[in-house]
Amino acid sequence: MAATARLLPAFAAAAAALLLLLCLAGGARATNVTYDHRALVIDGVRRVLVSGSIHYPRSTPDMWPGIIQKAKDGGLDVIETYVFWDIHEPVRGQYDFEGRKDLAAFVKTVADAGLYVHLRIGPYVCAEWNYGGFPLWLHFIPGIKFRTDNEPFKAEMQRFTAKVVDTMKGAGLYASQGGPIILSQIENEYGNIDSAYGAPGKAYMRWAAGMAVSLDTGVPWVMCQQTDAPDPLINTCNGFYCDQFTPNSAAKPKMWTENWSGWFLSFGGAVPYRPVEDLAFAVARFYQRGGTFQNYYMYHGGTNLDRSSGGPFIATSYDYDAPIDEYGLVREPKWGHLRDVHKAIKLCEPALIVTDPSYTSLGPNAEAAVYKTGSVCAAFLANIDGQSDKTVTFNGRMYRLPAWSVSILPDCKNVVLNTAQINSQVTSSEMRYLESSNVASDGSFITPELAVSGWSYAIEPVGITKDNALTKAGLMEQINTTADASDFLWYSTSITVKGDEPYLNGSQSNLVVNSLGHVLQVYINGKIAGSAQGSASSSLISWQKPIELVPGKNKIDLLSATVGLSNYGAFFDLVGAGITGPVKLSGTNGALDLSSAEWTYQIGLRGEDLHLYDPSEASPEWVSANAYPINQPLIWYKTKFTPPAGDDPVAIDFTGMGKGEAWVNGQSIGRYWPTNLAPQSGCVNSCNYRGSYNSNKCLKKCGQPSQTLYHVPRSFLQPGSNDLVLFEQFGGDPSKISFVIRQTGSVCAQVSEAHPAQIDSWNSSQQTMQRYGPALRLECPKDGQVISSIKFASFGTPSGTCGSYSHGECSSTQALSVVQEACIGVSSCSVPVSSTYFGNPCTGVTKSLAVEAACS
Ligand code: GAL
C-alpha cells in the first residue's frame, strides 16, 4: 500500500500533463466516475470528497464566481445544487434557462474553479422552495397524482428530467464528457414519506431509479433517504449527523448528501444557528466512521427572491447560518474552522482510501477509528460525551479530548486538529446604515451617502376591480383558483340588511371567517375590519369579530394571501389555502351562513395587472405629492435612489413597513414582513455545542422580527437612478426604511496553548514531527486591506467574545506590543501562542491569546 501512496504523486503529475496536453489541443478529457464500497472512484482512484450546496437561483450570476471561489478556498471539492423545475418551465413546454436560471452557466462556473458538481435533478426538491420546485401547471394535468405510480406524472417527470440531462449533455457537462458533473440525484427523501403512498409508491420509486439510469449520464445516481434504493443507485443519508448510517449494499460507499449547516428561517420564527464546533464534530465523526463524501446543506444559502420561498411562511432570507452568509461573505469562524477540518481530513485521505476503519473503545463514550495498512495510518479519536472532557490513551500516548469532539491524527500520532478547538479567526459582520439625508441628527449639514427621492403612491382598491372576475356559489379553495399566479385572491359578496335580521344585534353582527390560510384581511363596506394570519406550524385561521352593518347593501370583501406554497410531506401538493369556510354572520337570534352564498373572485391585485412593480411602464395610477398616506393597507409606494458606493453587499431594512413585496428596477427582492415576530421564548443566550443538535436547540432573536433586512443583489442596481417599488398589504411608513451595506467589523481570534498548530503547518500525513506550536492568525477580509490597529490583546486568561474581550486575572504585560509588532501594517499575521514570546504571566494554568484587530 505504501507503494500506492508513493505512486500517487507520479500518477497525478502524469495526469496533469495529459490534461494540459488535451486542453492545449482544445479537447476535454473524459473522467470516469464509478464507485465501490469505500468511495466514489474517479479515474480509477478512490476519493475523499467534501461538497457544499449552493443553489444558483438564490444568488445572481455575478455573485457565482466569488461564492464558488470561497467554497474552493474553504476546501470544497464538489458543489451540489438542486434543479428547480418551476423556474425552468414556467409554462408547460416553454423552457427558460436565462440569467439566474442559467444552469449550464452555473455548472461551467463551478468547472472553471476546478470543482466537481453534484446535480440533484429531483425534480421534486423540497428545499423550502415554492411547491417543492414543481410548476403549478403540473397540478392541473387531468388524472395526475404526484410522486406515485401515475402515468401522467411519470411522463412529465421523465420529460423534464430528460430535458435537464440533455441540456447538460449538450453543453458537455458530464464528467463522462470531460465536464464537472460527477454525480446526480433523482427524487428527494422519498423514503421519508413513501409509506403513505403504499405499493404504488414503491413501484414509482423503482421506476424513477430505472428511468434515471436509462438517461445514460455516465455518472452514478443517488437517492437520498431511500433505504431500499435499487442498484446501481446509491442510497445516501441526510441529517444533522450521519456517522451511524450504512448504505444498503456492501458495494456502495457511505455518502452524506445533506449535512445541515444550520436551519432555515420562517416568518414568525426565531433565527436558527448551529455552532461550528458541533458541525465540525459531525463531519469528523462521519469520516471517522467510514464516510468518504459529505455535503453541507447549505454552504451558501442565499435569498428567496421573487415568490420562490416555500412554505407556508418560509422567510425571504435563506441564510441558513451557512459558512458563506446570505450576502456571499464568509461567516467566521464557521468557514475558517471547517476549512481547517477539511485540510485535516485530506491529510488522512491516503489512508482513508486504502482500507476500512477498525474501531477500538477508549473508555465510555470514547472511540478510536484507525485506518491502517502497510505504512499508512490515520486515526480519529472521538469523545462523544456531551458533558465531560476526557484524557485517553491511544497507542501508548495520552490525548486530551474536549467533550463532544474529535481529534484527527493523519499519522496516528500527531493531532493536527480537534473539532472543538478553533484556530481560525472570528469576524463580526456589521450592517452599516447609510445616511440618506444631508442633515445629521445634530442638525449639521453632511454629504449623504445615498440619495432617496420622495415617494409616490398608488392605492390598490378594495374588492373586485377586474373585468374577468368570476361569480360562483360557494367558497373556492385558493391554489386551485389562482394556480399561484399571485399571492392574492379576493372573495367578495354582499348582503342586504333591512334591520330586523336575526343575525343582527342592533347594527352589529358577529362575523366568523375560517380559512386554510395563510393571511386574511376582512373589509366591510370598503373599510378594514381586521386581519389574521396562520403560522409555519399551522396555517389555519379562525377570525371572528363584531362588525358594523348599515341598512341596505353591505359589501364583504375578504382578501386571502398565500406566503409560499407547501414543499414537504406526503401529498404536500394537495395542501390547500384560502377561505373554504365556514363564513358566517351571527347575532342573538340566529345566524346567516354565507359559505354557499354567491361569491365573486378576483385573482391577484389590480396593481399586479398594471405592472406597477415595473417602473419602465408608466402608469397614471401613481400619485406624486409631498404628503403620502401612511399606515394604510393596500398601497403601492415608489421612490428613486442612488446606489450605495463601493462593492459591499446592499440590503434594505424594512422596519416601519408591515408586510409586502419589494422590487428594485422591476426585479423582485422577495416578500418582506418585518412585523412578523419570533415567539418570546425558546432562545438561548449562548448555545452549548456539546450534545446532540436539533433545529430548535440554538435560536436567537426571540420576541424580535424574524427578518428586517432584505438583500438587494448588486447586479439589480445600476449607476445613477434606481427604482424601488413596494406593495404594502398591512400598512407602513416607507420613510422609515433604510439602506444598509454589509461590512466586516473587527477581526478577532483566541487560541490557547493547548490548541494544535495551525493546520497549514502540516503538509502531508507523513510529516511526523510537529514543527510549530499553536499560533494565532489574523487576516484582513478584503484585498488591499492591512491591519491598522490592535484593539485588544491579552495573553493569559482573557474572557469574552469578539468585540467584548476582557483581561483575566492572569495577563501578560507585553501582549499588546508583541501583537502590534507582528501585525500592524500587514494584511495577515501569525503570532505564536507561547510564553516564549509573551513571558509567563502565571504558571500551572493553560493560557490563551485573544486579539481583536481592525483592518482598513
Ligand atoms: C431536507 C430536504 C431539503 C431541505 C432540508 C431542510 O429534508 O431534502 O430539500 O428542505 O430538509 O432545509
Side-chain angles (χ1 to χ4, degrees), residues 34-41 46 250-254 292 353:
T34 56
Y35 62 80
D36 65 13
H37 87 286
R38 276 300 295 143
L40 287 180
V41 177
R46 286 184 187 150
K252 297 176 188 175
K254 173 168 171 170
T292 48
I353 60 169

Side-chain angles (χ1 to χ4, degrees), residues 112-167:
D112 289 346
L115 301 181
Y116 295 127
V117 170
H118 173 201
L119 196 66
R120 301 173 85 195
I121 301 180
Y124 163 68
V125 297
C126 194
E128 289 69 69
W129 194 266
N130 195 51
Y131 214 43
F134 286 135
L136 252 291
W137 52 258
L138 197 63
H139 172 70
F140 296 93
I141 290 182
I144 202 160
K145 284 187 184 145
F146 285 19
R147 302 178 79 197
T148 189
D149 193 12
N150 169 273
E151 293 309 322
F153 179 78
K154 290 191 300 184
E156 292 301 314
M157 172 165 164
Q158 176 158 5
R159 185 178 53 76
F160 181 71
T161 307
K163 170 75 186 177
V164 173
V165 168
D166 288 349
T167 306

Side-chain angles (χ1 to χ4, degrees), residues 16-34:
L18 182 66
L19 185 65
L20 187 70
L21 262 176
L22 285 167
C23 288
L24 290 175
R29 196 178 65 103
T31 307
N32 181 33
V33 188
T34 56

